Amino acid sequence: MELMKSDNIVPDRQPRQEEIMQQQKQQEEEEERRFHVLAVDDSVIDRKLLEKLLKAFSCQVTCLESGEKALEYLGLLHNSATAASSSQSQQHQGLKVNLIMTDFSMPGTSGYDLLKRVKGSYWKDVPVVVMSSENVPSRISMCLEGGAEEFMLKPLQLSDVHKIQARILKSLPQS
Amino acid sequence: MDLVQLQRQLVDYRTSLYHEGFLDEQFTQLQELQDENNPDFVVEVVSLFFEDSERLLNELSNALEQQIIDFKRMDARVHQLKGSSSSIGAQRVRQLCIVFRNYCEAQNVEGCLKCLPQVKHEYSIVKTKLESMFQLEQQILNAGGSVPV
């Protein structure tokens, strides 16, 4: 776009466009630096709540309504759990997930199924927190033994999310 | 009624909902999550709860009208209702769902038939009360005031 010196309006427009583009780029970079959480729950109410709780801690949140959708998002739906194939690692390129929070009781792929699949895959180092409205000791130990970072009782509160964040942020590698 | 009176009325009304056991501290948590970025958060979540509950209650009615009652399916629905009422702090509804689930687990038709209308009743009461509360909040906002926390 050519600057027309005789026109007072146009010279202002170009720097502003650049500013906007720079702002957008900064915002994108900031988003990439933010803690990215997958929130998996079949209840629309609980998804909305969890999203708000996490956003209160400046997390970037992706809500998914089922275990299947979560597996699909992570590229784990159609193939085996190994990360050997190059096509799989290409799928994962650019996709960053810092934490997965999943409900336990979901139709189809349960939170426990999701946990096991994640722990046997390329994503095995991503902490998985399992949530449930029911306090069942055998369920809790099963999840913890299955590799869950934490088991939390619903409904979650700000203090619960704060607790997880503190623990996980401590163990995050400085990238 | 002037603004101060409206605000006082709201606080009293809200307090009574807690005292009478319609709401528990989870509702307070919802309010704490609301901020300038999401000024309608509570209304939005509660509206989702209304929609979801009405669907579930209809499905439960249908299930109980069948010749052969699918208790497992019913239990799943009640579990969902229990979860969502718990998430928004609708205490009485949640407590009734626990009773209802016990009847489902025991495959007790009579128990279920007795319980469902009770759940519907409690749900409609809390719905009316929450809607009244929201209306009061809106009146305060319309009068140029802020909603007391």
Side-chain angles (χ1 to χ4, degrees):
Chain A
M1 211 192 301
E2 267 191 277
L3 271 177
M4 286 161 53
K5 294 206 178 147
S6 55
D7 190 339
N8 281 332
I9 300 173
V10 177
D12 282 345
R13 209 182 288 159
Q14 214 167 25
R16 217 180 297 158
Q17 253 188 358
E18 273 178 19
E19 253 179 56
I20 292 171
M21 278 170 66
Q22 243 194 347
Q23 263 178 7
Q24 272 180 348
K25 192 163 173 255
Q26 265 181 335
Q27 268 177 2
E28 278 168 18
E29 282 172 3
E30 254 180 52
E31 277 218 6
E32 269 165 50
R33 275 199 292 269
R34 283 199 294 166
F35 206 70
H36 181 213
V37 187
L38 289 192
V40 191
D41 200 314
D42 60 320
S43 158
V44 62
I45 291 145
D46 288 345
R47 279 199 303 278
K48 191 166 170 84
L49 248 181
L50 187 54
E51 182 185 44
K52 192 70 178 71
L53 279 168
L54 290 166
K55 283 188 170 170
F57 286 91
S58 305
C59 294
Q60 188 200 341
V61 188
T62 300
C63 289
L64 297 159
E65 62 193 20
S66 69
E68 282 84 19
K69 288 260 153 90
L71 288 173
E72 186 182 36
Y73 184 87
L74 296 168
L76 298 177
L77 199 52
H78 297 295
N79 38 28
S80 69
T82 59
S85 63
S86 61
S87 64
Q88 229 187 16
S89 48
Q90 265 182 358
Q91 257 182 316
H92 299 140
Q93 225 164 45
L95 186 58
K96 179 197 76 164
V97 177
N98 297 111
L99 171 63
I100 298 171
M101 291 188 67
T102 179
D103 187 25
F104 180 86
S105 320
M106 296 187 293
T109 305
S110 72
Y112 180 73
D113 297 330
L114 178 60
L115 167 68
K116 295 297 281 180
R117 286 297 307 277
V118 167
K119 289 300 161 184
S121 76
Y122 165 89
W123 302 100
K124 62 177 158 46
D125 293 326
V126 176
V128 180
V129 170
V130 181
M131 306 170 288
S132 176
S133 55
E134 294 169 308
N135 192 348
V136 181
S138 56
R139 179 182 293 183
I140 298 174
S141 40
M142 183 176 80
C143 288
L144 293 176
E145 278 162 33
E149 177 75 23
E150 184 78 65
F151 186 97
M152 310 203 98
L153 281 178
K154 286 161 113 180
L156 260 67
Q157 301 202 321
L158 281 164
S159 53
D160 295 317
V161 180
H162 186 240
K163 195 174 90 169
I164 309 169
Q165 279 248 292
R167 273 199 24 205
I168 290 171
L169 281 171
K170 256 196 243 174
S171 56
L172 257 188
Q174 295 302 317
S175 50
Chain B
M1 211 183 290
D2 71 358
L3 183 57
V4 176
Q5 280 181 297
L6 277 173
Q7 288 169 324
R8 207 171 290 155
Q9 194 186 18
L10 174 67
V11 173
D12 288 344
Y13 193 66
R14 216 189 263 155
T15 308
S16 74
L17 294 182
Y18 285 101
H19 278 171
E20 290 165 29
F22 289 105
L23 298 178
D24 63 31
E25 71 273 4
Q26 182 57 22
F27 190 78
T28 315
Q29 176 68 121
L30 284 190
Q31 292 179 306
E32 281 175 24
L33 284 171
Q34 184 161 290
D35 56 25
E36 318 82 58
N37 293 327
N38 268 99
D40 300 317
F41 178 70
V42 180
V43 173
E44 284 169 10
V45 179
V46 172
S47 302
L48 282 173
F49 169 69
F50 291 159
E51 273 173 42
D52 203 50
S53 301
E54 272 150 45
R55 175 185 62 88
L56 289 168
L57 288 168
N58 281 335
E59 287 177 14
L60 285 167
S61 295
N62 286 336
L64 275 174
E65 282 166 20
Q66 302 306 311
Q67 284 261 335
I68 299 171
I69 297 180
D70 188 342
F71 285 102
K72 207 167 163 205
R73 227 176 127 89
M74 271 184 55
D75 183 68
R77 298 281 175 274
V78 181
H79 172 75
Q80 281 177 26
L81 185 57
K82 187 185 128 216
S84 56
S85 55
S86 165
S87 293
I88 71 140
Q91 183 173 260
R92 287 201 198 180
V93 176
R94 173 177 59 81
Q95 287 168 338
L96 271 172
C97 285
I98 296 172
V99 176
F100 201 155
R101 278 197 88 190
N102 288 335
Y103 286 131
C104 290
E105 258 174 81
Q107 307 211 345
N108 183 336
V109 181
E110 268 182 45
C112 290
L113 283 169
K114 197 182 66 173
C115 215
L116 179 58
Q118 288 174 332
V119 178
K120 283 183 171 177
H121 182 65
E122 279 302 334
Y123 165 73
S124 75
I125 297 177
V126 80
K127 179 170 189 226
T128 305
K129 292 200 179 266
L130 285 169
E131 284 173 339
S132 300
M133 196 186 78
F134 291 145
Q135 266 170 26
L136 211 43
E137 288 180 1
Q138 194 56 56
Q139 277 181 291
I140 291 170
L141 291 171
N142 291 343
S146 62
V147 177
V149 285

